[in-house]
Amino acid sequence: MKKIISLLLALFMITCLVACGSDGSSGNKKGSSEIVIWVGEESAEFYQGVCDKYVEEHPDLGYTITVKGMDTGAVAGVVTNDPSAAADIYTTAHDNIGKLASTQCAKPFADESLINQVLADNPASFKNVIYSTLDGKEYLYGVPYISQALFLYYNKEKVTDEQAQSFEGLRQAAQAAGTKAITVTGDDGYNMSFALLATKVDDHSTSVKIYEGAEAVSGGSKGVSNCQGDDTVAIVRWLQEYAADPNGFKWASSDGWDADLRNNGALAVIGGAWHYNAAKAALGETNLGIALIPTFTLTESAVEGLSSVSAGDTYRGGTFADCKVFMLNAHSDPEKYTALQDIVKYLSSKEIQNESYVNCLNVPAYVGASEYIKSCYESSSVTESQYNLACMQVEMAEWGIPQPFLTGTLNTYYYSKNAPAVFRAMIDKTAYPTTGDQILEETESLEGVRKGLYLMEYLWMHGLNPSEFPASLPEQA
């Protein structure tokens, strides 16, 4: 009873908070009979059909529903730029929740049955990252309905399934093909998580911490970060070697990673489900292999001078294992609030998540989805590569973490304050130029790698370069 009263009070407070409404477009005008929903471009047609059926089955709804396809990676920026022109319900990755909530571009959910559905269906890793704080209290801001993680696409014509299990095997295949083993779809902080979040195969251990213990409130604690452990140093040095190898790692060419696959520029790429169509177009259904991000073994030179790692230690590449969520626009007509929550409850249900997988290859976010995925393959509802895509994504979740950016500040510091550029400079063994002085002049030696990792950690925590490096490293940034 106390919980119900609390929810009712929350609903009253939230409704009052947004009662001013908006005179913007995209269905947000007060009194508008249209509800607008933004989903990924690849899913728009499917969700329009689902919503048409929902309207038909709810004649008392009082609204039409228009679904529009968007680049979900850019939605958060679009919404914050002009929330009054954004959709009533929009899709984004969960790491944008803090930013959108703190800038009053999102409205929390207060419907008890929806909240209970979210709590019952989703894994703890997702439930930990879909809340944000409003006036000192935590509220549900995002409802998961798609899971996503990085994995490996490879050319089955030139790489055996066994070779695809390790970076060493990929290099062996690349030597025979006279090309590079592997590339990535981008050099940003998300795509390079395969190296940064790599964990030891024996026990999944890593010394890396990213905003551990941070608070989901603007201006709150940033938690603790660490990327200076011996294991991280060794992994960077291993990747430096692999990138320098004529048959190892390469950055995507100017024509794109898919052109590299198509033209024998690389035999494999680390990507996500959203890259499936492009990868299949490059290699064809028959030659498209899909596997976990491979393992790699630390070399003598990678561990030289380090005390807590050894040559022969084996790691598997990691990933940010995330969820895409539905969020509510705080600028929508308050009169729509109940209807919007009912629609989200329906669209995020297991039933619709399952249909979305079959129709759009959106891997469900709920616990136990692998059983349904298996049944789809056994009934020939999906192809072998589509089945493998889902299985590898689900399995990679065991080798990753959700993006821990509980506030907009943390998201910005991690992605947009040049830490990814520092990481690339280390891999390429080039100087990292900063505004003003060139404070990281060499990245090849052990000291250079330690400085680079300290600089990355400092950027994560402070959003700017340090005035100087500590006398000895590692040192908490």
Side-chain angles (χ1 to χ4, degrees):
M1 184 66 181
K2 183 182 294 183
K3 183 176 181 181
I4 295 175
I5 294 173
S6 177
L7 286 167
L8 290 173
L9 288 173
L11 174 60
F12 175 77
M13 183 189 73
I14 295 164
T15 303
C16 291
L17 180 68
V18 299
C20 58
S22 169
D23 60 357
S25 59
S26 296
N28 293 330
K29 293 181 180 179
K30 188 171 179 59
S32 170
S33 61
E34 180 188 36
I35 287 174
V36 178
I37 302 174
W38 286 352
V39 298
E41 293 169 330
E42 71 287 346
S43 307
E45 184 177 355
F46 165 73
Y47 280 104
Q48 184 64 70
V50 169
C51 288
D52 289 344
K53 181 180 178 181
Y54 182 85
V55 171
E56 182 180 338
E57 294 177 348
H58 295 79
D60 297 331
L61 177 65
Y63 299 100
T64 60
I65 301 177
T66 300
V67 179
K68 296 183 178 180
M70 297 286 289
D71 176 0
T72 55
V75 161
V78 174
V79 174
T80 54
N81 183 57
D82 186 4
S84 67
D88 300 290
I89 300 169
Y90 54 83
T91 297
T92 188
H94 79 266
D95 59 294
N96 290 306
I97 289 175
K99 174 169 61 178
L100 291 162
S102 64
T103 54
Q104 298 183 0
C105 293
K107 185 189 310 183
F109 294 92
D111 181 271
E112 184 179 18
S113 61
L114 172 57
I115 293 172
N116 288 339
Q117 176 177 293
V118 170
L119 295 177
D121 290 353
N122 289 280
S125 59
F126 289 170
K127 287 187 284 191
N128 290 338
V129 294
I130 55 179
Y131 286 79
S132 193
T133 302
L134 175 68
D135 294 336
K137 292 184 65 176
E138 273 199 338
Y139 293 94
L140 176 68
Y141 274 90
V143 175
Y145 76 108
I146 297 174
S147 66
Q148 57 184 27
L150 296 173
F151 48 86
L152 184 78
Y153 294 106
Y154 65 97
N155 187 341
K156 292 177 68 174
E157 185 178 24
K158 300 178 180 180
V159 181
T160 68
D161 292 345
E162 182 179 358
Q163 288 173 323
Q165 301 306 307
S166 70
F167 280 87
E168 292 80 13
L170 288 173
R171 178 170 54 197
Q172 181 186 55
Q175 288 170 343
T179 187
K180 286 283 192 175
I182 192 168
T183 186
V184 285
T185 61
D187 60 1
D188 54 272
Y190 183 87
N191 283 290
M192 295 309 294
S193 67
F194 87 88
L196 186 64
L197 298 180
T199 54
K200 198 171 182 180
V201 170
D202 291 345
D203 57 9
H204 288 244
S205 62
T206 175
S207 66
V208 171
K209 294 182 175 63
I210 307 176
Y211 306 125
E212 190 170 291
E215 298 175 355
V217 55
S218 181
S221 168
K222 300 185 185 75
V224 175
S225 293
N226 175 47
C227 66
Q228 299 181 63
D230 280 0
D231 54 348
T232 310
V233 174
I235 289 167
V236 169
R237 296 169 86 186
W238 166 82
L239 187 52
Q240 287 178 326
E241 296 173 11
Y242 200 74
D245 191 300
N247 303 115
F249 171 84
K250 74 181 291 288
W251 303 106
S253 68
S254 58
D255 292 328
W257 61 268
D258 51 336
D260 288 328
L261 286 186
R262 183 181 300 108
N263 301 326
N264 199 44
L267 298 184
V269 63
I270 294 171
W274 53 99
H275 298 120
Y276 173 78
N277 288 332
K280 185 173 72 170
L283 296 176
E285 174 82 25
T286 302
N287 291 330
L288 180 61
I290 300 175
L292 297 178
I293 296 177
T295 63
F296 58 89
T297 302
L298 297 181
T299 61
E300 291 283 356
S301 54
V303 303
E304 184 180 355
L306 304 175
S307 59
S308 60
V309 289
S310 303
D313 287 349
T314 302
Y315 288 76
R316 183 178 298 283
T319 181
F320 282 124
D322 298 328
C323 54
K324 287 186 179 180
V325 298
F326 285 121
M327 298 186 70
L328 301 182
N329 191 339
H331 289 246
S332 292
D333 182 349
E335 294 179 2
K336 297 178 178 179
Y337 189 45
T338 298
L340 295 179
Q341 293 184 94
D342 288 340
I343 292 169
V344 169
K345 181 168 62 176
Y346 178 68
L347 295 181
S348 62
S349 66
K350 291 182 180 179
E351 176 188 358
I352 302 303
Q353 287 190 48
N354 289 343
E355 290 182 20
S356 180
Y357 167 63
V358 172
N359 287 273
C360 310
L361 295 183
N362 291 323
V363 177
Y366 68 84
V367 173
S370 57
E371 290 300 314
Y372 177 76
I373 291 168
K374 182 179 180 181
S375 72
C376 289
Y377 179 58
E378 291 173 342
S379 65
S380 300
S381 299
V382 295
T383 67
E384 182 177 359
S385 67
Q386 291 170 338
Y387 170 68
N388 287 335
L389 176 150
C391 288
M392 294 306 104
Q393 184 167 295
V394 170
E395 288 186 44
M396 275 307 304
E398 299 178 16
W399 297 90
I401 61 170
Q403 294 182 73
F405 314 118
L406 301 182
T407 68
T409 297
L410 302 186
N411 184 293
T412 300
Y413 282 8
Y414 181 85
Y415 283 114
S416 304
K417 294 299 182 180
N418 295 330
V422 175
F423 195 74
R424 175 160 182 166
M426 286 191 291
I427 303 311
D428 292 340
K429 298 182 180 178
T430 58
Y432 167 66
T434 63
T435 302
D437 299 325
Q438 199 173 62
I439 63 171
L440 187 60
E441 295 182 352
E442 58 87 20
T443 52
E444 187 166 354
S445 67
L446 175 57
E447 182 184 7
V449 172
R450 287 202 180 279
K451 283 184 176 180
L453 292 173
Y454 173 84
L455 179 54
M456 284 179 59
E457 186 180 314
Y458 197 93
L459 287 164
W460 291 353
M461 297 303 291
H462 305 283
L464 45 77
N465 292 315
S467 58
E468 60 182 1
F469 287 105
S472 63
L473 291 168
E475 177 70 35
Q476 186 68 40

